[in-house]
Amino acid sequence: MSSASKRALVTGGSAGLGAASVGWLQANGYEIVVLDRDRPWTGKTPVQFIRCDLASRTELDDVLPDLVAAGPYDLVLLNAGINATGKFEALDPRAHIDILRVNTEAPMVIAAALLESNACRSGGAMVFVSSLSYFTGYPGAASYAASKDALAIYARSMRKYAASRGVTLTVAFPGPLKTDHAERHSPEGADDSKRMDPDHAARLILADALAGKKSSIPGAGNRVVAVIGRVFPKPVTAVMRRLIYVRLKP
């Protein structure tokens, strides 16, 4: 297969980790389909843009045939995600619903549709972007953490079925990134110096996915946090609460 014939789908490809992934894929010869609410910056190579607000199940159902028809894909990156931070009971109930729809329901529905329609090439890879909070908890963003945990469990449960279609599944667990999205949902005055550059995270995650790895935790520091979070969940969650929850504006 020539490099020019490789094709990828990226959800949430207009900003952050998604946009960084689009850039990496462009540099490596992929034709790209971007599913997002906002039109992405396309760089040197045009992308096929399919607009959809993933918080709307009606819109998602309407574009599923277009997503299938735009394949077959060698790589699918299910990256789109939103967040809401603050005290759980103080947040608009609609925010919790939207988070679960965008972060969990949408990638589940898209993955199932693509696999059932054979819209992924045999030998291809599918990546579900979860979160490092899977290992640590995320006080102040309970719905986000729940949505990303559920997605990781779904991906693991789908692995055998995907393998029967010749597709490997990778779950990515990125930590804090230097993105506008992370800045909006961080406590005021939070130090972003230790956040990972999204271009770096994208390179590591996509390399793991193309190598057929089951999981990807980009960065040695994040891998250490994941191990400590598994071994000492209560102390790590307490630290996260002090760093995030108690510093959020009411």
Side-chain angles (χ1 to χ4, degrees), residues 1 28 53 57 96 106 112 149 153 161 250:
M1 181 181 296
N28 285 273
D53 181 353
R57 181 57 190 270
H96 302 300
D149 287 8
I153 294 168
Y161 172 67

Side-chain angles (χ1 to χ4, degrees), residues 130-147:
S130 181
S131 168
L132 191 64
S133 65
Y134 180 79
F135 305 100
T136 67
Y138 195 168
S143 293
Y144 176 87
S147 71

Side-chain angles (χ1 to χ4, degrees), residues 52-219:
C52 180
D53 181 353
L54 293 176
S56 168
R57 181 57 190 270
T58 300
E59 287 194 28
L60 176 56
D61 288 341
D62 286 345
V63 302
L64 280 177
D66 296 329
L67 288 179
V68 171
Y73 305 104
D74 300 279
L75 178 74
V76 174
L77 179 65
L78 299 167
N79 158 79
I82 59 173
N83 197 358
T85 50
K87 292 185 177 180
F88 184 87
E89 67 276 10
L91 294 174
D92 184 342
R94 182 74 194 184
H96 302 300
I97 295 172
D98 287 348
I99 287 169
L100 291 170
R101 282 184 171 167
V102 174
N103 297 4
T104 310
E105 182 184 45
M108 290 169 62
V109 170
I110 293 169
L114 296 180
L115 291 170
E116 290 170 7
S117 303
N118 289 316
C120 298
R121 286 194 177 107
S122 180
M126 183 176 288
V127 188
F128 293 83
V129 178
S130 181
S131 168
L132 191 64
S133 65
Y134 180 79
F135 305 100
T136 67
Y138 195 168
S143 293
Y144 176 87
S147 71
K148 293 298 189 177
D149 287 8
L151 187 62
I153 294 168
Y154 170 82
R156 288 206 308 269
S157 301
M158 286 286 285
R159 189 165 281 127
K160 186 174 181 179
Y161 172 67
S164 72
R165 301 297 179 105
V167 178
T168 61
L169 294 191
T170 300
V171 184
F173 301 96
L177 301 174
K178 291 182 180 179
T179 63
D180 292 340
H181 182 269
E183 183 67 27
R184 284 196 301 272
H185 295 286
S186 298
E188 187 174 349
D191 181 9
D192 69 350
S193 62
K194 294 184 180 180
R195 294 178 190 163
M196 182 175 285
D197 182 85
D199 291 326
H200 186 201
R203 288 194 299 270
L204 295 175
I205 290 170
L206 293 172
D208 285 343
L210 293 173
K213 294 185 178 180
K214 293 181 178 180
S215 65
S216 175
I217 304 175

